[in-house]
Amino acid sequence: MALTLEDRLAITELIALHGHLVDEGELDRLDAVFTEDVEYDLTDFGQGTVTGLAELVGASLALGAGNPVAHHVTNVVIEEATEERVQARSKGLGIRTDGSCGSVTYEDTVVRTGVGWRISHRKVSARRVPLNGTRSVPPGAPGTARPATTNPQTT
């Protein structure tokens, strides 16, 4: 099913709104982003899955100064869609208090509710190694051939 441009814009803005609310400490407004029974999967960070808005707010408050000071989202891609549910992926950058930066991938299930689109499930995966850990490329694989160089001194 093709989503309307209005739906695509609403979903993209929904995903972006998360960072604005969290960075401003407006945790009481997270119901504008997530369903009441949201599942927020932080397994990649050793925290398991947080279930429900109240638990998500509590986990955020418990992390306190360990939270990034800035959340930036980019590269939003809406992959699968029905009239009532979409799968979306995006990249997140988190800026820490010391100025260092971390990268994540968000995998979201976004559902249409009576008050608009909301995220019902989010998996946050840390990006810790380049190419997602790909270590080597087989010889002769596409993109591995190097162009021959000539030395203008010998030609």
Side-chain angles (χ1 to χ4, degrees), residues 1 3 8 11 15 75-82 85-90 105-108 110:
M1 182 219 124
L3 290 175
R8 287 183 174 278
I11 292 164
I15 291 169
N75 300 44
V76 176
V77 178
I78 298 171
E79 298 180 319
E80 299 174 27
T82 68
R85 177 181 305 267
V86 302
Q87 296 301 126
R89 285 189 311 150
S90 57
T105 299
Y106 294 120
E107 296 176 56
D108 295 328
V110 185

Side-chain angles (χ1 to χ4, degrees), residues 45-95:
F45 295 89
Q47 298 180 24
T49 299
V50 175
T51 303
L53 272 178
E55 193 173 325
L56 180 58
V57 169
S60 298
L61 291 172
L63 190 56
N67 284 290
V69 295
H71 294 76
H72 302 281
V73 70
T74 185
N75 300 44
V76 176
V77 178
I78 298 171
E79 298 180 319
E80 299 174 27
T82 68
E83 284 187 31
E84 304 301 320
R85 177 181 305 267
V86 302
Q87 296 301 126
R89 285 189 311 150
S90 57
K91 297 292 186 176
L93 297 170
I95 311 301

